[in-house]
Amino acid sequence: MEHTDPDALALVALGEPLTDPRVIDHLAQCASCRLEIEALRSTVSVARSSIGEAELQAPPARIWQSVRAELGLSADLEPPVSAARASELAVTQVSPSPVASLDTARARRSGIRRLIVPVAASAAAAALVAGGVLWWGAAAPRDAGQLIASARLDALPDWPAATGQATVAERADGERVVQVSLDAEVGEGVVREVWLLTDDAEGLISLGLLTGRSGEFLVPATVDLAEFSLVDISAEPLDGDPTHSGDSIVRGALDV
């Protein structure tokens, strides 16, 4: 089976909509390509959460040379912006999108886009390179921080057997981290995404994808946890749409 072009997978991971029916059909059948998209989305999520929290440094010129060679670009083509700036453009955190109701979000997904990333394949590759550097830094041992909030995550009606927990810790440098655990399996072609919601579900912020039974996610410095006090984990189909699917698995209020 011929797999989807890696550049197309990178753009899907960055939020570009799927429009080619051949790609859509292939992803519906190919677990390998879906896993590749999930891995790339995890990298983008970390980079998106870390913009503004960490200073990105432009990689050496040989990185661009490798990207240029991998994509088959002209030898005299220079990057339109630095790799760090490309990453910033590709994964800029935007303001939370209002939604009327998570119950109706699925029907409105085609009309709501929380993140639009019309970048070229070269910028996508540069963003993923920079995101990989951030992921490596995030994986290093860090201060566990002081517990400042917690929540029991209760199952939603469609997921009666699901259970979960969430805690928020503040590190010595002021950085806040949400740690979640979830006991709930999702079907093939579906991933689990962690969100912060306002108590009326009118605003939401994605923290990233949960790839195991537990995970740790940075809270952007500008987010007020007294306002975004609900932790939500949703089941998201791999359809290229970054908005909330409306299919929440568990949800709970932080005691902030």
Side-chain angles (χ1 to χ4, degrees):
M1 178 186 297
E2 184 176 353
H3 293 291
T4 301
D5 185 84
D7 296 342
L9 296 181
L11 290 174
V12 171
L14 285 168
E16 287 293 288
L18 285 172
T19 57
D20 188 335
R22 294 171 300 177
V23 175
I24 294 173
D25 290 343
H26 177 78
L27 291 179
Q29 304 174 40
C30 182
S32 176
C33 286
R34 291 197 301 270
L35 288 174
E36 180 69 15
I37 290 175
E38 182 176 347
L40 292 173
R41 278 179 168 167
S42 296
T43 298
V44 171
S45 294
V46 171
R48 182 175 63 194
S49 298
S50 301
I51 293 298
E53 302 293 329
E55 181 179 355
L56 297 180
Q57 297 183 356
R62 66 178 183 274
I63 300 297
W64 169 247
Q65 294 168 1
S66 298
V67 170
R68 186 171 54 197
E70 180 67 21
L71 298 178
L73 303 176
S74 172
D76 59 357
L77 181 65
E78 294 299 326
V81 292
S82 69
R85 178 59 179 159
S87 176
E88 183 178 345
L89 290 173
V91 297
T92 296
Q93 178 70 49
V94 298
S95 299
S97 295
V99 293
S101 167
L102 291 183
D103 294 334
T104 60
R106 184 181 297 278
R108 298 179 54 196
R109 294 187 83 203
S110 61
I112 303 175
R113 290 195 60 82
R114 175 170 47 82
L115 185 67
I116 300 176
V117 196
V119 295
S122 57
L128 292 173
V129 168
V133 174
L134 286 173
W135 175 88
W136 179 86
R142 305 192 67 179
D143 172 23
Q146 180 178 358
L147 181 67
I148 60 173
S150 63
R152 185 182 72 181
L153 304 181
D154 296 322
L156 274 289
D158 289 342
W159 301 83
T163 59
Q165 295 284 337
T167 61
V168 181
E170 183 171 355
R171 293 171 174 157
D173 60 1
E175 189 175 67
R176 295 167 300 168
V177 178
V178 174
Q179 295 177 320
V180 300
S181 62
L182 176 66
D183 185 5
E185 297 297 329
V186 293
E188 188 174 351
V190 179
V191 295
R192 298 165 300 169
E193 189 162 3
V194 180
W195 307 79
L196 291 177
L197 309 180
T198 54
D199 58 5
D200 58 3
E202 291 291 329
L204 68 166
I205 298 172
S206 172
L207 296 182
L209 298 180
L210 180 63
T211 56
R213 292 178 62 90
S214 62
E216 182 177 283
F217 304 88
L218 293 178
V219 179
T222 56
V223 172
D224 183 356
L225 289 178
E227 179 183 3
F228 290 87
S229 58
L230 297 180
V231 177
D232 178 280
I233 304 178
S234 65
E236 300 289 335
L238 291 173
D239 57 4
D241 190 331
T243 60
H244 196 293
S245 66
D247 185 9
S248 294
I249 303 172
V250 292
R251 191 182 304 163
L254 294 167
D255 53 359
V256 293

